[in-house]
Amino acid sequence: MRKTIAVGLGALIAMYVLGGMSARHEIFPWPQLSALKKMAGAEKAPAPSRYTFDDKERLIGDESKTPVPCPPQTDRTAVLLVLGQSNAANDGGQRHRSNYGARVVNAFGKRCFVAASPLLGSTDTKGEYWTLLGNKLIASGQNDSVIIAPLAYSGSEVARWAAGGDINPVLVDTVKQLQDSGYRITSVLWVQGEKDLVIGTTADAYQERFLSMVDTLRQHGVEAPVYISIASKCLEPSNGGFKEHIPDNAIVRAQMALSKSGHGIREGANSDALLDGDDRYDDCHIGGSGAEKVSQAWLSLLRGDRLETSR
């Protein structure tokens, strides 16, 4: 028995010494064992996806898109620059596609694609209602074609859009790409504010930063009206929001004041008031019934604008 124990201890000591020498001098079997360990622990390559994103997680490629020639702009063409956070981005609960082929397009990177959720230019890959609005604009007889140019970042606060913010140069580049494609923006649609309510942005600060963004647009040749939505509601901690919503808050007061301030700024869709609990699929983001409501509200606003400008 003692002899067996002694032999076992001797073998263990020999293995320890051999292992140490092998590691120190990089001789068999240490390199081979080390390589196997690395292979076993290596991260798996990401699964292939049809989507491509930039370094800010904005959707910039989708293999399912149908490229088409960009429609020429006429006086019956709507060119919509869509800005904001998740409820302007691809976070909707219902996807939509053009009912009119290349008459409703998603403009991105000086190219055009038949509009279909998710739209290139914004974050995330779910649904959106801008394509639905494009369908409604054509069905109503207001427009013959609709160009949708989205630039929306989920969770973005207004400071990021102001001069000096990280999104401001992307905004300038988006405007320039549209202009280089021969497009004159006819309406700017802004849907944002939920993030600023959560982080406690004051009404004065919100107005100052929003006007800075509008100044950026004006400095780069955008003369179109800027519609500012009344948007501050995004409930539940899972969405980065609160348990309950207080309708009279600093962000809504700022948005209402801005809509009456001139500078070509007008009141947009009031999603805070328009949508009830059933219209938001997760207490924050807009579902199918909500998409119908907000797209109809935007249609009424844009139709009213066209009637006013045609007088």
Side-chain angles (χ1 to χ4, degrees):
M1 179 70 175
R2 290 180 179 177
K3 183 177 180 181
T4 302
I5 293 172
V7 171
L9 286 173
L12 286 172
I13 292 169
M15 289 172 66
Y16 178 81
V17 172
L18 177 62
M21 291 178 62
S22 174
R24 183 176 180 183
H25 298 287
E26 290 291 319
I27 59 176
F28 180 84
W30 182 260
Q32 289 76 16
L33 291 173
S34 180
L36 285 171
K37 183 180 178 181
K38 288 180 180 178
M39 288 174 63
E43 293 184 5
K44 292 183 179 180
S49 170
R50 76 185 223 201
Y51 302 119
T52 307
F53 303 89
D54 67 8
D55 58 358
K56 286 186 170 62
E57 300 183 353
R58 185 171 60 134
L59 182 65
I60 59 172
D62 180 348
E63 293 175 1
S64 72
K65 294 298 181 188
T66 303
V68 292
C70 288
Q73 184 171 4
T74 71
D75 61 355
R76 291 183 53 79
T77 301
V79 181
L80 309 178
L81 177 62
V82 175
L83 310 174
Q85 58 178 105
S86 58
N87 276 326
N90 297 309
D91 282 283
Q94 178 65 55
R95 287 182 169 182
H96 296 279
R97 64 176 53 252
S98 169
N99 293 337
Y100 301 93
R103 293 173 64 188
V104 183
V105 300
N106 174 190
F108 179 76
K110 299 183 184 180
R111 300 180 66 195
C112 290
F113 306 85
V114 173
S117 310
L119 295 176
L120 301 179
S122 293
T123 55
D124 302 307
T125 59
K126 303 182 188 72
E128 43 75 42
Y129 51 86
W130 305 114
T131 300
L132 179 59
L133 172 61
N135 288 335
K136 288 178 179 289
L137 285 167
I138 291 181
S140 70
Q142 172 163 326
N143 296 106
D144 292 335
S145 58
V146 179
I147 316 299
I148 305 169
L151 177 65
Y153 288 84
S154 181
S156 60
E157 63 266 33
V158 70
R160 295 179 63 189
W161 296 83
D166 65 308
I167 299 177
N168 192 270
V170 190
L171 174 61
V172 172
D173 184 59
T174 300
V175 168
K176 188 175 185 303
Q177 288 185 12
L178 284 170
Q179 292 168 338
D180 289 348
S181 299
Y183 289 130
R184 175 185 57 82
I185 296 166
T186 58
S187 299
V188 180
L189 312 182
W190 171 261
V191 184
Q192 190 277 343
E194 301 93 337
K195 177 71 172 183
D196 284 280
L197 179 63
V198 171
I199 65 177
T201 303
T202 66
D204 287 344
Y206 189 93
Q207 291 183 70
E208 178 185 350
R209 292 162 186 169
F210 181 82
L211 288 173
S212 174
M213 182 198 68
V214 174
D215 285 343
T216 296
L217 292 171
R218 303 303 186 219
Q219 289 165 13
H220 290 84
V222 178
E223 299 176 353
V226 179
Y227 289 87
I228 179 170
S229 289
I230 309 304
S232 68
K233 186 176 183 179
C234 182
L235 299 180
E236 288 302 312
S238 59
N239 295 312
F242 300 125
K243 179 181 177 181
E244 296 178 348
H245 181 68
I246 300 173
D248 182 17
N249 60 67
I251 302 307
V252 167
R253 290 194 293 273
Q255 291 166 342
M256 294 297 292
L258 285 162
S259 71
K260 298 174 174 63
S261 66
H263 308 284
I265 301 170
R266 304 178 183 181
E267 185 176 337
N270 187 337
S271 58
D272 279 8
L274 187 64
L275 304 181
D276 59 34
D278 292 337
D279 297 322
R280 299 177 188 264
Y281 65 85
D282 62 355
D283 301 304
C284 176
H285 300 107
I286 298 173
S289 61
E292 279 292 338
K293 289 181 180 180
V294 291
S295 61
Q296 189 63 41
W298 281 113
L299 173 65
S300 298
L301 288 165
L302 296 178
R303 291 186 71 181
D305 177 51
R306 186 175 180 87
L307 289 171
E308 183 179 316
T309 55
S310 63
R311 288 171 183 167

